[in-house]
Amino acid sequence: METSFLMKKTVFALVLVSGLIPEIARAELTVASPFTDNAVLQRDLPVPVWGNAAAGTTVTVKFAEQKKSAVANSDGRWKVMLDSLPASFDPRILSVTSPGHPRIELSNLLVGEVWICSGQSNMQFPLDRVPEAKALIPKAKHIRTFNVKRTVAFAEQDTCEGEWVEQHPDSAVAFSFAYFLEEAADVPVGIILTCWGSSSLEAWMPRDITETVPHFRTMIDEFDADTKTRNRIAAILEGPRPWSRGEDIFLRRQSNILYNAMMHPLAPYGCRGLVWYQGERNTQSMFGMLTEPWFSRNSGILKYGDTFKAWVRRYRKEWGRDDLHFLVVMLPGYGKTLPGGPQGGAESPVAHSWAWMRESQLKALDLPHTSVVNTIDLGHIKNIRPTDKLPVGKRLALLAASDVLGHDIQAQGPVMKAVECKVNRLVVHFEHAEGLKTRDGKAPTAFWVADESAQWMKADAELSGECVVLSSTEVAKPLYVRYAFAGKPSVNLVNEAGLPAYPFRTDIFDP
């Protein structure tokens, strides 16, 4: 027994000398990559701070007269929760300490409203190309940005490349949103920008969503079996930078691997919610899972709504916050329609157009703590990346102020509440319809009616208080209505705040 004990001590001593054990003992003290100098911390909510250290060691975080400690677990991970903090323009230091390690000090931290802004090219769309938004830069005083470097990874990453800077985001939508939010809340605003053009919803999905979204399981199974694609991705990541345009496009159109590298490392950074401007990549088919071209193998339009709701639930689980708010940008007007389905042009109420995607996006409202920004009056008939980004950001900020911060303001346009069937007409009742009017003083446009035949006819529309009365000489007994249900409808119906009425349909006819 004594010999065995001495042998063990000798082996342990040799291991110590050779440096084979204390990988854990010497583990570096780190704080998660979203924490850098100049960061903005979320006000009025508990603030998680986390990182890595030697397993079993105590880590202490100090900030704003708070002192919180945690013990690193067996994987070397630690996390503390700072108590909720009031907004503050005063720059302060956050320190992280652990015995035997140099102190980490992050300077110039503010406390305010923090939002993640994500999506594809219309979120990435540069501020320099929107002069009316760019003109606001000199007035923006307390906006900071963490720009996540665009890359991919096969597995979920714990870190990402980026740092907080005392500058506005380069995204026109994210900047406009931050500018008007700062104006409304009078607090510092922090934007975490993580977006990449051409990316599908599935690009931003963690793998385990395969448990609830069948088509994503198929996509991941195919991706895992596609050795050629995986080898090409690996070669691009190991190769020279900058990537060629073809390499860049190839990476950003993949599934899951953007989430792994550009979203997972952010969780659970304290933030109010996520602004999402995406959907164009998923509009290449109505029913989804095309085989050609390969980058159209996704939810398609009709599955998008339910897929998006599963995605929101999963992100809330990742952040441990059922109240993580999602601000969704409805796709604006765009005239292109899909081949193989009904046509009729940019204003057709039956064409396979973006109207169906907007209906899918509005399904987000089935969940609590969600808002959808109406952009039906914006966009361009031929340009998938329109330049009218300033009103998008302004409407996002209005909804954030109303739905999240509780400001008593009119933040959305008229929403259909009920449709009353009369003998030969329909009466559409709206909410959020104070001062219902048309922008040009003419009769409301973009209303269509039909009976059981599903033959849609343009309606004659007239205002009546907070209602619109519809009739048609070609439909004796109208039963159903579609409003602004087209790729690029011509609309003029707004409320007193000048916000446009949301598109809708009351029928259940198949597309």
Side-chain angles (χ1 to χ4, degrees), residues 315-336:
Y315 270 46
R316 286 175 174 168
K317 181 180 178 182
E318 188 78 7
W319 260 262
R321 290 256 315 282
D322 289 339
D323 63 346
L324 188 70
H325 201 93
F326 282 75
L327 284 170
V328 180
V329 179
M330 180 190 291
L331 293 190
Y334 181 57
K336 184 177 180 181

Side-chain angles (χ1 to χ4, degrees), residues 352-366:
H352 284 181
S353 69
W354 280 14
W356 300 94
M357 174 55 91
R358 297 182 197 112
E359 183 178 70
S360 281
Q361 289 180 303
L362 284 166
K363 285 187 175 182
L365 298 177
D366 294 345

